[in-house]
Every structure is written in structure tokens, then in C-alpha cells.
Amino acid sequence: MPKSKVRKKKDDAVERSVSRTPVKVKAAPSGSIFVAVMLGLMIIGLLWLIVYYLAAEQIPFMNSLGAYNFLIGFGFMVAGLIMTMKWR
């Protein structure tokens, strides 16, 4: 059986020069104000829901909001949780 010809490989030097390793970007850590606001929003949301459950009948504006109190309380907590994504 005849032997096949050996093909010359393409020069992959151009492709090899591109590095595919991830590069870490050095960013400054978050300030203490950022952390305080982040935790503050989560705590305010939690306190809003606790006050709504315990004393909604005694607080006229909270009683008039009705189910929107859940939106407000969870909105504060979600805003705090979204801030955790930018926390360093």
C-alpha cells in the first residue's frame, strides 16, 4: 500500500500569541459608606415588614397602603441585595 504524503501544518504562531487567560482587574475596595448603605437598605426593608405585621392598624398611612407595604419592604431589601454585586 502506498504511503500518503505528509501535509505541512499551518503556522499557528499568530493564534498562539493571543492569550486566553483571564486577567484580574485590580479595583479599589468598597468604601465604608457603601457597605453601610447596603446593609441599611436591607435592614430598613426588614423593619418595614416587621412594623407592618405588628402595628399596621395603629399607623394610618401604613394601613392605607395595604399590600403595597410588601412591595416597599421587599424593594428596600432587593436594592440592598443588588448593591452586594458591586461590593468589593
Side-chain angles (χ1 to χ4, degrees):
M1 182 170 236
K3 193 174 183 182
S4 64
K5 294 182 179 180
V6 178
R7 294 181 188 169
K8 193 172 189 178
K9 292 185 180 182
K10 294 180 182 178
D11 188 20
D12 293 334
V14 175
E15 291 181 23
R16 289 184 188 153
S17 66
V18 177
S19 176
R20 302 254 182 217
T21 58
V23 177
K24 290 186 179 180
V25 177
K26 294 181 180 181
S30 299
S32 59
I33 299 293
F34 185 85
V35 176
V37 170
M38 176 183 69
L39 293 175
L41 285 173
M42 289 189 274
I43 291 171
I44 287 171
L46 180 64
L47 289 176
W48 187 279
L49 292 175
I50 290 172
V51 169
Y52 171 67
Y53 274 117
L54 297 178
E57 291 92 21
Q58 288 84 22
I59 304 172
F61 80 92
M62 192 174 265
N63 196 18
S64 66
L65 287 174
Y68 284 109
N69 285 302
F70 293 113
L71 180 68
I72 294 167
F74 285 117
F76 279 120
M77 288 192 285
V78 168
L81 288 173
I82 288 173
M83 286 181 72
T84 62
M85 288 188 247
K86 298 289 182 178
W87 179 32
R88 294 188 181 110

